[in-house]
Amino acid sequence: MNLTLTVLEIVAPVFMLATIGFTWVKLGFDYNVEFVTRMAMTLSVPCLIFVSLMQTEIDPAALTTLSLAAIVAYGALTVVIQVLMRAGGLEQRTYAAPMIFGNTGNLGLPLALFAFGETGLGYAVVVFAIMAIWSFTYGIWLVSGGGSILKVVKEPLVAATVLGGVFLWQGWQTPVFLTNALDLVGQMAIPLMLITLGIAVARLTPGRVKLATVLSAIKLAICAATGWAVGLWFGLDATALAVLVLQLATPVAVTSYLLAEKYGADAQAVAGLVVVSTLISVVGLPFLLAFLL
């Protein structure tokens, strides 16, 4: 019973904030998703990543090991998903990227924070950044047929990760007034992302629900198993292992839908994956957390 309550305490705030966004749309109120998403991804999330890395007390060697584990995990997951897509005769442009990349930002970061504290958040931002880099290169190539390394370099969250890593490695700290300001801006990130997640899900029109249900269940199982196997192989400590598994197991992100819409893939099919995988995560992630805690 205590474990159940602990998991509910961790998961409830995440889905309560997403529900606020969902309800906001259903009540007919305005919400500019493009503006909020741009502000979060170019300002608040980079500040959150930078400050989290700069102030983390995690051994830099442990972060390096987790980074390598995350790279290998996403590489292995990419291969597995590609084989699955070919075996099932599914269109790569539509289904591959959503099956590989999860909602490590909107959902993964707050879950890691609530479940494992600041240490968990420090680990989670590393996995999030690696996923984002792979998503902005290979993920875009999958959907559009072409990616650009220049696009990665220009991403603020990538610059924030590199800079935060340098500060962590050198033991540097920004002046207190600047740290406080960056921390305050970063604190906007998690509430904004969760409310925006609810907004985006409320506005989506799901397509091909039956296929989306099967693929969402397969995604959760494959991603969790991949994270677990790779984490054990790298000998990650309990918290780092749990965060890696949790981040890989997050549901399909709304970003996948936006990219499908932008580059002419089957956006409605991806919308179905976003909605169904998010609903499945309401049940699946608490069970996963109960296993990891």
Side-chain angles (χ1 to χ4, degrees):
M1 179 62 70
N2 288 337
L3 181 58
T4 302
L5 290 176
T6 299
V7 172
L8 287 176
E9 289 172 355
I10 294 168
V11 176
V14 173
F15 290 107
M16 285 176 66
L17 281 171
T19 301
I20 289 174
F22 187 91
T23 305
W24 187 270
V25 166
K26 295 306 181 183
L27 291 175
F29 298 141
D30 291 334
Y31 191 95
N32 192 327
V33 172
E34 182 180 358
F35 166 74
V36 175
T37 301
R38 182 176 300 171
M39 182 171 66
M41 297 303 291
T42 60
L43 184 61
S44 60
V45 173
C47 286
L48 174 67
I49 290 175
F50 174 74
V51 174
S52 296
L53 286 176
M54 181 179 66
Q55 294 185 332
T56 187
E57 298 180 357
I58 303 170
D59 181 6
L63 285 179
T64 300
T65 303
L66 176 63
S67 299
L68 293 174
I71 291 171
V72 171
Y74 276 109
L77 189 59
T78 298
V79 173
V80 171
I81 294 301
Q82 292 282 9
V83 172
L84 180 65
M85 293 297 100
R86 292 182 184 278
L90 298 174
E91 186 184 15
Q92 297 278 347
R93 290 185 61 213
T94 296
Y95 293 104
M99 292 289 287
I100 296 170
F101 306 111
N103 201 345
T104 57
N106 294 48
L107 203 55
L109 293 183
L111 276 177
L113 174 63
F114 294 142
F116 307 105
E118 293 296 331
T119 298
L121 179 61
Y123 282 136
V125 295
V126 172
V127 181
F128 169 59
I130 290 171
M131 186 282 301
I133 293 172
W134 192 226
S135 175
F136 287 134
T137 52
Y138 182 71
I140 290 178
W141 178 83
L142 275 175
V143 180
S144 68
S148 171
I149 190 64
L150 187 61
K151 188 181 293 291
V152 178
V153 175
K154 290 180 177 180
E155 285 297 324
L157 66 88
V158 176
T161 303
V162 173
L163 193 59
V166 171
F167 271 64
L168 172 64
W169 176 50
Q170 294 293 333
W172 296 341
Q173 294 286 325
T174 53
V176 175
F177 75 90
L178 181 57
T179 301
N180 290 341
L182 293 174
D183 185 46
L184 189 61
V185 174
Q187 287 177 24
M188 296 191 300
I190 289 176
L192 278 178
M193 288 189 297
L194 289 176
I195 292 173
T196 304
L197 172 63
I199 295 284
V201 169
R203 289 177 175 175
L204 292 177
T205 303
R208 304 179 186 177
V209 175
K210 184 177 180 179
L211 178 60
T213 302
V214 174
L215 290 179
S216 296
I218 292 174
K219 171 180 169 59
L220 178 60
I222 290 178
C223 290
T226 301
W228 182 261
V230 172
L232 289 179
W233 186 42
F234 274 86
L236 299 178
D237 64 62
T239 301
L241 174 61
V243 169
L244 179 63
V245 173
L246 181 65
Q247 284 286 64
L248 261 68
T250 50
V252 181
V254 178
T255 307
S256 295
Y257 166 76
L258 297 177
L259 288 175
E261 188 73 51
K262 179 177 180 179
Y263 291 107
D266 189 343
Q268 286 304 307
V270 178
L273 281 172
V274 173
V275 174
V276 175
S277 66
T278 300
L279 291 175
I280 287 178
S281 72
V282 174
V283 177
L285 289 184
F287 275 105
L288 184 60
L289 274 173
F291 175 74
L292 295 172
L293 289 174

